Amino acid sequence: MFEIPFVNHHILSSLIFCPLIGAILISLLPRRVSREGAFTVALINFVFSLHLMAHWSNAPISQGRFRFEELGQWLPQFGINYHLGVDGLSVFLVLLTTFLAPLVILASWNGVVERAKEFTILLLILEAAAIGAFMALDLILFYIFFELTLVPTYMLIAGWGGARRTQAAMKFFIYTMGGSLLMWVAMLYLYFRQSAATRSFDYAPMLETARGLDLGGSGVATFLFLAFAAAFAIKAPIFPLHTWLPDAYTEAPTAATVMLAAVLSKMGIYGFLRFANPLFPETARSLAPIFIALAVVGIVYGALVAVAQTDIKRLLAYSSISHVSLIILGVFVALLAGRNAELARTGATLQMVNHGLSTGALFLLAGWLWERRRTLQTNAFGGLAQSMPLYTVLFWVALFASIGLPGLNGFVGEYLILQGAMSAGFWYAFGGATGVVLGAIYMLRMFRSAMYGETTREENRTVRDVNARETFVMALILALIIWIGVAPQPFLGVIGGDGTQQNNIAQRNATQQNATRQTMPELAQSDLSTQ
Amino acid sequence: MADTLIFGVAAFLIIASAMMVVASRHPIHSALFLVLSFLGLAVIFFQLNAPFLAAVQVIVYAGAIMVLFLFVIMLLGEDKPLPGESRLGIQLPLGILFALLLAAQIGYMLIRQPAGRTVVARPPDVQLVHAAGEKAQYADFGSVKALGNELYTQYLFAFEATSIVLLVAMVGVVVLAKRRL
Amino acid sequence: MPTSYYLVISAMLFTIGVLGVLVRRNAIIIFMCVEMMLNAANLAFVAAARDLKLMSGQVFVFFVMTVAAAEVAVGLAIIVALFRNRATIDVDEVNLLKY
Amino acid sequence: MTLDQLSQNYNLAVLAPELSLTLFALAVLLFGAFFTDETQRRLLPVLALLGAGISAASTAALWDKGRVFGDPATAIYVADNFALFFKWIFLIGLVAAILISGRFLSPRSGDSHVVAGEYYGLMMLSTVGMMFVSGARDLLVLFLGIETLSIALYVLAGFSRRRFMSNEASLKYFLLGAFAAGFLLYGIAMVYFATGSTLFPHIATAIAQGQITMADGTARAVPQPILFIGMALLLIGLGFKAALVPFHQWTPDVYEGSPTPVTAFMAVGAKAAAFAAFLHVFPGVFGSLYGQWLNVVLVIAVLTMTVGNIIAISQSSLKRMLAYSSIAHAGYLLVGVLAASAAAHGGSPDLEAARDATGGVLFYLVAYALMNMGAFAVLVYLENVRDVQGADRDSEEANIRISELSGLAWRQPLVAGALTVFLLSLAGIPPTAGFFGKFIIFREAVRQGLIGLVLVGVLNTVISVYYYLRPVLSMYTPDEAAQNMGSGDMLVESTGGGAATLRSVARPLSLGIVLAIVLCAVAVIGMVILQAAVFPMARDAAGLSASVPVTQGAVPLLR
Amino acid sequence: MPLYLIVLFPLLGFIINGLLGARLKKPLPGIIATAAVLASFVVALLNVLRLASLPEDARRITETAYTWMSVGDFRVDVSFLLDQLSSVMILVITGIGFLIHLYSVGYMQDDHNDPEGRLYARYFGWLNLFIAFMSVLVLADNYLLMFVGWEGVGLCSYFLIGYWFKREDAAEASKKAFIMNRIGDFAFLLGMMLLFVSTGTLKYFGDSGAAGNATQGVLDVARSNAGAFSAVGLAGLGGITLITLLLFIGAAGKSAQIPLYTWLPDAMAGPTPVSALIHAATMVTAGVYMCARSAALFELAPETRLIIIVVGALTALFAGLTALAHNDIKKVLAYSTVSQLGFMFMGIGAGAYIAAIFHVFTHAFFKACLFLGAGSVIHALHGEQDMRKMGGLKAKMKATNITFMLSGLALAGAAPFAGFFSKDEIIAGVWNYSGEYNSIYKIIALVGLVTAFITALYTGRQYAQVFEGKARDEHLHDHAHESPSVMTVPLWLLAIGACFAGLLGLPHLPGVPNLHAFTDWLTPVFSVQADASHAAAGTGSHNPGATLMLLLVGAVIGWAGWFMGRSMGTRQGERAVLPASTHNLSLDAVYNATFARGGLALSAALRWIDDNIVDGIVNGIGGFFGQVSSALRLTQTSFVRNYALGMAVGAAVIIALFIINR
């Protein structure tokens, strides 16, 4: 690519600070160019992020199996480092964020005209925080970014949200923060379990300490794990901690909804994959059935509640619960799937990106509809396919990607997860796969009542089809959707290549631990009879 | 014996007048009872080898401060019982209850303390803990000289700091009470 | 006389002061009761000083009196200022700020 | 003792911060008497700031010197880092309060005279009182300091003499403060009786040894019951100043009723002073009795956090909400104090941890000072806006309601943004100063195994988010009327009426408020980097204690 | 000619039509699409010829395009396999697909549902996409890729049923079709995943490859190491039974078997050529193909096959009866399709895979022809589909009449038309079944005969009702006209197939001409795993006497039913043979009452629970703090003495605590 010395050597920092500096610049620029400015900044950041992919294979790999690592002292007196790094697990989440950020700005071009300056500034801050969370390899640094995402999101909902934004924003913030504070306490506890001389919040020593506690059979590990899990379970969310989500997704402005659904919810899952589960492999494994059960409930429950929704955004919100639950299922069956663990883990990782793309696309589409008609009640529509043929086509692709049609991205992740689940137990896979059917039901019902049928209302007859800008945005997302669906191997290769090795260590350690206790043939691990 | 008698009378005076301060309906009465109580205290101070303080108590407290009180009461014309002063509701029994409880607690703790001076052998490593150390003269304890000595050496800083308190009070009173600034 | 006698008197005076604060509504009387509490402390100091044969207790009382005088001046000024505005020294009628 | 000896022992340089501030206070008072109103308004703040600046500089000059005023063994006033650090905190409060007081002191109908001289003078003298508290090494000085700062604050609280609320605040503060002072004093008397001294190290030694030696060479046991009474009463007296539950009830009323700049000053300075005293007395003097008072203070900490936060939820006045919030913050600070005490006097004393924890408390106070001052500065600004609009600032409805903030962000983005930053920081959301403060305090508490307490603190943080974010939500709520006005940048005059919301802005900003808001905001956000400098200083302040002699068993930390 | 071209041409057509179609004028999109399929057909034909040129034991062409997914041990390639089985399918798909495309060009020329022709290109786009996916389905060399095609054709079916999305019935039907298919796919998916768990691969066949690194495919494992499946058993169900059962449920969804068939009749809301291509000739037979492909697995699971044959027979019987109750020209054909699919599954259940595939083959011709004929009629009558308003079209629509009659006879199983041979072979296969439960199989065979009779009955009735007798609606009749030749040519071609396709697979009976090309071609695919008896059943020569018997009975039944039906049709005219209440066997109503209504009720209930209980708890916690707050703030009474009392109480408590703690 190109040579900018600082960027090339501090690519990860650049990814965080580019939007931040951009936000500052935009605050200084006149209002009328803020959208253009923000778009440019986000675009530059996206180009930066492509650097990751371009240099992926020849990037230096550290001992921790992370690439492009940056390690600096930040607050040595607290043992907090400025430690960034990406691996297969996080790199696509970073890319997803940088990819979606310019697109949502573009997508909101006409939707948010008033106060566009503040809007774009908040979006850029959100982008930076999200990227930071995905790259942070210091637990407190992660926590800081994790929390920091709340603020711009909150303000986006509060400032540009729907009618019930007050409640939605508040619930979102308090709920999420409540969970993450517990995690924070757990981090502090772990920190002080280290020997005084080398205490650090850095990933590796924390990992070691936590594993020590965990494998040592310490009862406290369960509490610690649950504290971490609380933060991530709320963020993801896992049933029954999901109730902030429908409100927040529904009330948030489109761009914020997209970021929330596509990027922020991934932080919860990412947290499990990066932190909670590797830190406490044994505990995670022993609690996995509970989480799987919750995930299955979430899949079915989310889907069934979605069926009863009449508001498209709210329906999509519940569908998100269902889909995210499937990813959670993947995360946890990976702990039980024995030799096919990697399938589920890789699937879950990829599915995060997939869900981000397809849900993001759907929310964008819903948002555009809202811009045109100022309502999203399905019964206010009908026969839109007639007046908005292009919109219909775009909707189709996003919708079928979302319900996991083979050839589109959703299927790849879903299948890998379910295949992993099948290795862990028949009923896990069964429960997970119910989403396949239920997803089709609520999505097609919604589509049918909004898009198909006779045009009963006059305003639907004249509603404008998507314009070139919108088509362009959607086409980019859909192209990626199709790409991942048709040829996911480049992605899987990166994810599975070294991204999961970090976790494999956890897996291996735990397996060894297991092996010492009971030796069982590999096939027996996929025993179906007892589940 | 005389000591005991003086103590008894003074103590009775203090406590009885203090109770009357609380019980009197008229502010003027309260103030006067308070003066009485302070005078009793002055007696006790005298008995406790604090002649200087006794004098100050009479001059400053019972004299100046209480006169100020009376002055303000008269100035404001609030020399009558407040209408509805006794309407306190649950506050009265609760107040009495907790005041008694407080008294009981403090009394209990006072009684629990070892009576008198328990002379224990002086361990070799124990250092003198007096504030003024060897400077304190046992012989002229309570004299104005001893007081002055402490005040201008050990407590010099506090003495100076008091000036700030007084300055603040002066400025404050002016700010608050001057009719036109 | 044993020191504890004085302490008991002092404790009684203190609690009577507390009681007065609790059960009176006249700001001036409340304030007088606070003075009573301070005097109870003074008594305890003097008694302790004698018990310990240390002058520091008496010095302390000296300072307390000074501070008390300052406090009385300011306190009465506050009461006067209040009275000018509200024409009352009944603390129960000073009740704009609540909840 | 000759005069030479005196001057050798009593080195006035040690008192430079206090003296310079006092001198300038006198100057301010005098100038106030002699200059015209307009000159006063321009000159006095500058003079006061100059005094604060010199005081801060002299404080800096004394840093790390560990000097004492008097004979090092028995000095009752010291200028160790602990005291000096606190002096800075007080000065932050003072400076910010001076900066935001401008408009409050402007002439208004009915007043023939500007009282700026008295106002600034009292504030400065109150600060001197706080400094006394921080440098105290004797309960006498502690008492004097508390009384100095309190008496000045009683007056300041009632400074809006025409305003009923201000009268009321003043009276309540005074009566209850004097009541609390009675407890404090009686407690000191009890401690004095039990231990034979009011000097911190001597008390600590006596308690540690369990006996005191009299001048005649005989020794006497320390009467534990009386000591405990003293300790309890001290806790009450100091708890009142720090606004700990159940001695907090004055706080909302007084904070709400006082003029807002005074409230800000009170919330920052007085609270810091109270914690200086608390740190002196509990982890310090009574450190070896840690096991005895631990549970009581623990309960108080839990109550303070919880009650403060919970009542704050249902407040509609921004000022009163901040008052409750300050109660809650006292609770968090108490967690830090407990951690420090546990580290220094717990089962296995750990000097480093104790330093960290005490440093954490000091750091938190700095953060608290900045963010609280910032929030109050914005509040003052909003009141000024209303003032400019002609609302009667003496009226009883003068307080800004949270709902009145509606749409502020679209008219005054920078002000709203600043308030958002301060509120987020108060809520402890990263990466603000408040977060780092909480981080250190909770971290140290976890280190000492006070997990339950930390969980309560965390729960309370969650609760607090609700009321801290309510104003933010309100500000960022789109306001149709506001949108029609187009952009309203901070210094741009804009038109528009409506008394219900704060709409029109006719230069209510003074340079002072802008400075206060900007500096606080920069510091609150900049704490991400600044703390690398501040925390080590705070830690030094906790550790480099000049005077407490080593006694058996107890770690002589925390003075 | 690489295999992937078969997929690529229609895909290209889809892309062109999809991107540019809106700008192209009628009938250019149709021509492009038709050409694409023709190209596909040519490539397929060339490849099949290439396959035929290979030695019989090596007739397998494999092409790997790229690796689709590879994670750890899991690896799935996008690779195509052409063997005898897929060659039959691909020829049918592309061949008949081509004809239907051709027909569509005429049929869609003036679409009264879409007068401006805005959807025209889209139609051909979907149709092309369908061909592409269908080709993927049959050419896939592993289950996952097959699943891609499987779902893909479902998708196209969804689009095409809902092509006239403005029509409520079309909108509903498309949704229903997709969802019911999804239910089947759900099972298929699970079965497939179990296959991977038990065999570690999803490929059908392994690579013999170089020595040492030969791999085994699923079917290889099934043949060589049946024990591998026992690892995945579930609750007393053997692993293989479970897998095959799940696969069959998948097939049942796609191929409209009980209980998942109700979508197919509704799917007739789509354009008629779509019904012909997707819902008669190709897609719905995918289930049969999948089962035949997995024959090695089904061979191991007699219980599953019993279930299959029972389900197949019931479906065939009841769908046949339902066809008698309908008056809609397309609905009758739809039920007939369901019924015929039942026959095919009977063949699968009996292990007569070749017979089943043979029936797929012949059925494709005659059913497509029937549908197209019906389409021609509907076209002529401007969209009228009610047979009660038809009649007497014989004279007006000569080509349609003849082709419809010929293919109708084939459907009826009248000798010597195609359907006769294939259907009889299935029945014979069932009869001759000699494994477990064979007494049940005998009964099934009889059911098959009855069904065959019913088939003939409704076919004859339909023919008579539409073409014979006198016109019942003069107005319609007057305007009726023969379709253009672009439509009739495909009809003729298909009718020829309907007449003679059966001759490719005459039964192996003494005295029958040696025309067994079909069976011979396919035998290697199935004979490898099946034991001798089943292979014999497959080719129908196991028990010549019985087979002959059945053949004769079948011939009689076919003709008899045809004529009886014709007389019914002409006689009754206005009335259906069976009351309309037997529509769908009322399964739709049952589903509506249970799953649909119940599901919606459950969903609404859960929504309520979510809003009021799950979220209610969360809000309740918030509300609780609010309440506590409102209560606690009342302690701030504003009375100094109260505050002082508070302090005194606090003092008392603290001192008490100190006393206790001392």
Side-chain angles (χ1 to χ4, degrees), chain D residues 52-266:
Chain D
I54 292 176
S55 180
S58 50
T59 307
L62 288 168
W63 183 258
D64 259 354
K65 301 275 199 314
R67 320 246 327 235
V68 300
F69 187 71
D71 174 17
T74 59
I76 60 173
Y77 195 70
V78 295
D80 58 359
N81 285 356
F82 180 85
L84 296 171
F85 194 86
F86 265 106
K87 284 171 194 174
W88 276 324
I89 299 177
F90 303 143
L91 288 170
I92 291 175
L94 176 66
V95 167
I98 292 170
L99 285 176
I100 62 178
S101 297
R103 190 169 184 91
F104 167 67
L105 292 169
S106 64
R108 66 199 85 181
S109 56
D111 278 344
S112 61
H113 188 70
V114 177
V115 287
E118 287 81 354
Y119 178 85
Y120 291 126
L122 281 175
M123 233 176 216
M124 291 163 87
L125 292 176
S126 180
T127 310
V128 173
M130 294 168 191
M131 290 179 170
F132 289 165
V133 175
S134 71
R137 201 169 166 242
D138 191 296
L139 288 171
L140 177 58
V141 180
L142 192 85
F143 176 73
L144 284 177
I146 287 178
E147 284 301 311
T148 312
L149 83 89
S150 301
I151 291 174
L153 284 176
Y154 300 153
V155 178
L156 285 169
F159 218 84
S160 294
R161 295 193 310 163
R162 259 165 239 289
R163 209 170 150 227
F164 288 1
M165 282 187 175
S166 186
N167 295 146
E168 182 172 338
S170 179
L171 180 76
K172 283 181 174 169
Y173 194 19
F174 165 70
L175 283 181
L176 292 169
F179 187 51
F183 280 97
L184 180 70
L185 191 66
Y186 203 78
I188 293 174
M190 292 295 113
V191 171
Y192 174 69
F193 179 74
T195 62
S197 178
T198 51
L199 196 69
F200 296 161
H202 289 182
I203 302 172
T205 315
I207 293 171
Q209 293 178 338
Q211 64 180 34
I212 51 174
T213 314
M214 320 302 292
D216 58 7
T218 58
R220 183 194 86 176
V222 171
Q224 289 280 335
I226 292 189
L227 182 63
F228 275 86
I229 288 283
M231 201 158 73
L233 294 174
L234 272 173
L235 181 59
I236 294 156
L238 297 178
F240 175 85
K241 281 289 155 210
L244 306 179
V245 175
F247 315 111
H248 67 289
Q249 288 183 295
W250 60 276
T251 321
D253 290 7
V254 173
Y255 279 26
E256 193 186 3
S258 305
T260 310
V262 175
T263 309
F265 179 67
M266 216 187 286

Side-chain angles (χ1 to χ4, degrees), chain E residues 212-233:
Chain E
N213 60 2
T215 55
Q216 281 204 314
V218 174
L219 302 178
D220 301 324
V221 173
R223 282 170 199 162
S224 60
N225 177 21
F229 299 105
S230 59
V232 296

Side-chain angles (χ1 to χ4, degrees), chain C residues 10-11 31 34 48 51-52 54 56-57 60 63-64 67 71 74-75 78 85 94-99, chain D residues 140 144 147 151 161-162 164 167-168 170 172 174 178 185-186 192-193 196 214 220 253 256 315 320 324:
Chain C
S10 130
F31 191 23
V34 169
D51 187 56
L52 296 156
L54 284 174
S56 51
F60 211 112
F63 284 112
V64 171
V67 169
E71 208 175 54
V74 169
I78 289 172
N85 265 347
V94 184
N95 57 0
L96 285 173
L97 300 158
K98 56 178 113 179
Y99 309 129
Chain D
L140 177 58
L144 284 177
E147 284 301 311
I151 291 174
R161 295 193 310 163
R162 259 165 239 289
F164 288 1
N167 295 146
E168 182 172 338
S170 179
K172 283 181 174 169
F174 165 70
L185 191 66
Y186 203 78
Y192 174 69
F193 179 74
M214 320 302 292
R220 183 194 86 176
D253 290 7
E256 193 186 3
Q315 297 306 316
R320 203 171 170 85
Y324 282 108

Side-chain angles (χ1 to χ4, degrees), chain A residues 242 301 304 318 448 489, chain E residues 70 165 168 172 603 610 615:
Chain A
H242 64 275
Y301 180 89
L304 283 177
Y318 277 102
R448 182 246 176 284
Q489 194 50 41
Chain E
S70 163
F165 55 81
E168 299 293 336
E172 278 301 321
S603 164
D610 196 59
D615 199 21

Side-chain angles (χ1 to χ4, degrees), chain D residues 343-378:
Chain D
H345 307 289
S348 52
D350 178 352
L351 211 77
E352 286 302 304
R355 273 187 192 152
D356 279 349
T358 314
V361 174
L362 300 195
F363 180 85
Y364 196 96
L365 280 167
V366 174
Y368 173 76
L370 291 171
M371 59 205 185
N372 221 24
M373 266 302 170
F376 275 112
V378 175

Side-chain angles (χ1 to χ4, degrees), chain E residues 152-199:
Chain E
V153 294
L155 175 76
C156 297
S157 153
Y158 167 79
F159 286 141
L160 286 163
I161 297 169
Y163 174 68
W164 289 313
F165 55 81
K166 275 199 287 186
R167 283 168 43 181
E168 299 293 336
D169 61 335
E172 278 301 321
S174 61
K175 185 185 85 186
K176 185 174 175 184
F178 194 86
I179 290 170
M180 291 204 102
N181 265 301
R182 268 268 151 147
I183 295 171
D185 298 352
F186 164 73
F188 185 8
L189 206 57
L190 290 179
M192 183 161 63
M193 291 188 288
L194 283 176
L195 279 180
F196 176 77
V197 171
S198 43
T199 66

Side-chain angles (χ1 to χ4, degrees), chain E residues 336-357:
Chain E
S336 144
T337 306
V338 176
S339 176
Q340 296 308 305
L341 289 166
F343 266 106
M344 295 171 201
F345 278 102
M346 284 162 68
I348 299 289
Y353 305 107
I354 294 178
I357 292 296

